[in-house]
Amino acid sequence: MSEQAPKFKVTIDNITIEVPAGTTILNAARMIGGDVTPPAMCYYSKLKESGGKCRTCLVEVSKGSEKDPRPMPKLVASCRTTVMDGMEVKNITSDKVLDARKGIVEFLLMNHPLDCPVCDQAGECDLQDLSYEHGSEGTRYEFDRRKFEKEDIGPYIQLHMTRCILCYRCVFTADQLTGKREHGVLERGDHSEISTLLGKSLDNEFIGNVIDVCPVGALTDKTFRFKNRVWFTKPVDAHRDCPTCSGKVRLWMRGDEVFRVTARKDQWGEVEEWICNDCRFHKKEVKDWVIEGPSHVRRSSVIAQGHYEHTQKPHVLIDKVIGKQPVLKMDIHSISDVNKPEIDLSKIEGPAHSTDFEGNKLLGNG
Amino acid sequence: MGVKLLLEHAHVEGIRYYDTYRKNGGYRSVEKALKMTPDEIVEEVKKSGLRGRGGAGFPTGMKWSFLAKPEGVPRHLVCNADESEPGTFKDRYLMEFIPHLLVEGLIVSSFALGSNATYIYIRGEYAWIAEILEQAIAEARNNGWLGKNILGTGFDCEIYVHRGAGAYICGEETALIESLEGKRGNPRIKPPFPAIQGVWMRPTVVNNVETLAAVVPIINMGGEEYAKIGVGKSTGTKLLSACGNINKPGIYEIDMTISVEEFIFSDEYCGGIAKGKRLKACIPGGSSVPILPANLLLKTAKGETRMMSYEGLAEGGFATGTMMGSGGFEVLDEDQCVVRHTMTLARFYNHESCGQCSPCREGTGWMYKILKNIEYGKGKMSDIDLLWDIQRKIEGNTICPLGDAAAWPVAAAIRHFRDEFEWHILNPEESQKRNYGMAHYADPIHVPTVA
Ligand SMILES: Cc1cc2nc3c(=O)[nH]c(=O)nc-3n(C[C@H](O)[C@H](O)[C@H](O)COP(=O)(O)O)c2cc1C
Ligand code: SF4
Ligand code: SF4
Ligand code: FES
């Protein structure tokens, strides 16, 4: 009884696409891809009820639908608003959106500790990406930032509440993967905090996934803590026969050492398949895994900065949409020795060693 | 004397109890309504022009007609008795002194909407009132107005009182619904609206206490008669809780044909400004609505007398007008400091934000901190524009209207009292010792002649 869902035509930043009825504006934009896709800090397609909270994905609906062409009076959260037939949406073509988004980024950063130099998430942090792409250089906030004590939630996960942006993704993950309401939000307003029931540690075989869904460094893997920087490790896809989960993971390696195990993530930074704690925290030997090969990094991440061969950069639409070329705000190679452009990470035989980055001791081409 | 519909018998000895209430014509509307069809009742309410008394002023009949009625799915009526807006205390008076009026309104409305289980969500701090209500419900039940097969019509109805735990945000209808379900009181992301998916995902109507009480006179006198009281889209009577620097703070029922000036200065209502002081400013509809200086409060920007009605108070939009809101009428005399007052409100919204969405969670705290600096002589001139920009970035960008409610008072204070803010900043020491005072806030406004 497969009834074809009716198709709706929606135009986002002057690009028209047909999507099944019931699709959200954000997901329609993701189908177009590139710059017209609004940033999403709280929505997670694999988590029911997620989204609507961070407000980074706000867009302007300049035409409601073919039937009712009135524009919507306020900006709407694209992750929670479904398209109508004939709807016209403005994202990067709307000054109102860009202005509001700048404000949202400022709000999100206002109480953030900006301790990126000591944060394990640095290099793969959605908040870093967001502020780089949509924020301003400075802050107008002149007060003390909010602070919380670090807290261990279980033997493998550390909660660094000070860095949390209250996206609720971990709450939904804990609720939906573990079937219990033991991990949630205490208090209210700007003193809200993530915590577990009576501060109890969560012992559930899937709870480690909260680390992967966290867009910032608020939930980190204690077995990886301070061991390495993301951009010095090389992502490798691997699998094992796991009785609990699919066993399909991403290993973050350096030499023959497995530093970290995470789920594989798609181009939107979302986990493809949840993995179990055993795979994540206890299988840290190469012999535990069947290596498939270097991961395809489908985001412009810090890994891509290393001229990583398997990078697929998102296509640029900005010139089509507003007739301007994107501006490169900063070329990381001009200020950092890390990931030297002349070193082609993917050409190194096997995973990279730190010695590969030293001076001019380069491979063949150096 | 204006017309009294809700408080008509408020001063009758023993009106809180069933027998006296019944003797004074109580429960007549139930007898009448249960002989009508639910749709006819909704039609009467539509004709009455009644607008929601909880703050937003949405037409009640229209709200009722949006209620989804899927086959086999229970529907619910929820009475919003969370009343936590600073300056608003009218529902408290109704429930405390004439609880049967609310119970009566609830029975009629439940019948109209098909709700067999109706809830009163009352703020936890009204602990003794919850008991008064429960007693009234028990009395109504003992006399056959609640329970099974009411008046032999086959209609079953129970009313449950649910106590909140002291959060302003639980007055927002979807946060209230979450809280009623036993969850954290976070507002829901809309759509879906409660009329489609409310309590336990069932179609739900949420109405304010005063709105539901007003259904009683509407049924008794008929929607058309009710609509003749008042003016324009401000039909019927409205309860106002008046407070601040006035001679007679309290609850007043007005028909919305009087002027703001009459309401403040007449002996029948507030009785003028206390201690012979002068009127400086007023927040006429609860803490969320824009504050107005005396001159714009009494006269509109067009130079006309401002009336105490939905339209009258809103005349001029946010640039020079304000809102009826929830009817919390707060009067400030010449000795009051608008900066301090704005800071107090900012602290309230900061404290009450649920923290779900970033603009409200972070922005409310930021505004409060800046206002505190200004109030305590540590402000900078650039702070005023910064405040303006923060409120602008909160407004309209949040999940629920609490963000707007936090932004509006700050915006209005800067719009109309900017020089008072500047004076605070330029005179950091003097401003700790005395207030800016009356300044020009009551001076007649130059009205441009229209060609
Ligand atoms: C932050 C916030 C607090 C609110 N508090 C109350 C309240 O205490 N009582 C109330 O009746 N409505 C309150 N409201 C309005 C309700 O959301 C809702 O609009 C109202 O109960 C509808 O009833 P009405 O149509 O009869 O006015 C509040 C709204 C917001 C955004
Ligand atoms: S800990 Fe991380 S995932 Fe959880 S709410 Fe905070 S930022 Fe989101
Ligand atoms: S606007 Fe404020 S109170 Fe409303 S949902 Fe957002 S954070 Fe919560
Ligand atoms: S992603 Fe839409 S509001 Fe956060």
Side-chain angles (χ1 to χ4, degrees), chain A residues 53-54 111 141-142 187, chain B residues 184 356 358 362 369 380:
Chain A
K53 302 195 195 291
C54 70
N111 271 305
Y141 187 69
E142 296 177 332
E187 298 288 338
Chain B
R184 180 186 165 83
Q356 260 192 111
S358 7
E362 306 295 347
K369 286 180 183 142
K380 296 195 296 273

Side-chain angles (χ1 to χ4, degrees), chain A residues 49-56 58 74-75 77 80-82 99-104 106-108 110-111 139-144 146 164-168 181 185-192, chain B residues 166-169 182-184 186-187 189-192 350-366 369-370 373 380 383 385-386 389-390 392-394 396-399 404:
Chain A
E49 297 176 54
S50 67
K53 302 195 195 291
C54 70
R55 317 304 283 176
T56 55
L58 290 176
K74 292 185 198 172
L75 303 183
R80 294 290 293 247
T81 311
T82 47
D99 180 54
R101 194 166 291 153
K102 231 185 182 128
I104 306 289
E106 189 174 28
F107 287 136
L108 284 176
M110 214 175 94
N111 271 305
T139 178
R140 298 176 292 175
Y141 187 69
E142 296 177 332
F143 302 90
D144 287 343
R146 178 168 70 222
C164 171
I165 60 161
L166 284 165
C167 70
Y168 279 65
R181 273 172 63 194
V185 180
L186 301 182
E187 298 288 338
R188 191 167 66 199
D190 56 10
H191 44 282
S192 306
Chain B
Y168 169 62
I169 191 57
K183 301 185 191 140
R184 180 186 165 83
N186 276 1
I189 293 149
K190 284 152 273 186
N350 177 214
H351 185 257
E352 297 297 337
S353 161
C354 84
Q356 260 192 111
C357 55
S358 7
C360 170
R361 178 182 67 240
E362 306 295 347
T364 51
W366 194 2
K369 286 180 183 142
I370 296 172
N373 267 357
K380 296 195 296 273
D383 283 345
D385 287 339
L386 181 56
D389 196 53
I390 299 171
R392 189 177 71 80
K393 284 188 165 132
I394 299 174
N397 292 339
T398 56
I399 296 176
D404 303 334

Side-chain angles (χ1 to χ4, degrees), chain B residues 1 40 71 96 143 146 150 152 156 162 164 172 177 190 193 198 207 226 253 272 330 355 376 412 415 418 430:
Chain B
M1 281 289 272
E40 281 165 2
E71 204 53 51
E96 186 169 358
N143 287 282
L146 282 169
I150 300 167
D156 305 337
H162 187 101
E172 194 280 335
I177 287 172
K190 284 152 273 186
F193 289 92
N207 272 132
Y226 184 90
E253 180 170 9
E330 303 164 44
Y376 291 108
R415 188 182 294 119
R418 195 177 178 111
E430 201 185 344

Side-chain angles (χ1 to χ4, degrees), chain B residues 52-58 60 63 80 82-85 91 168-169 171-173 206-209 211 400-402:
Chain B
R53 306 298 199 220
F58 192 83
T60 306
K63 186 186 230 173
N80 189 342
D82 193 55
E83 191 167 63
S84 320
E85 177 113 339
D91 297 341
Y168 169 62
I169 191 57
E172 194 280 335
E173 54 185 9
V206 182
N207 272 132
N208 173 258
V209 171
T211 314
C400 89
L402 189 138

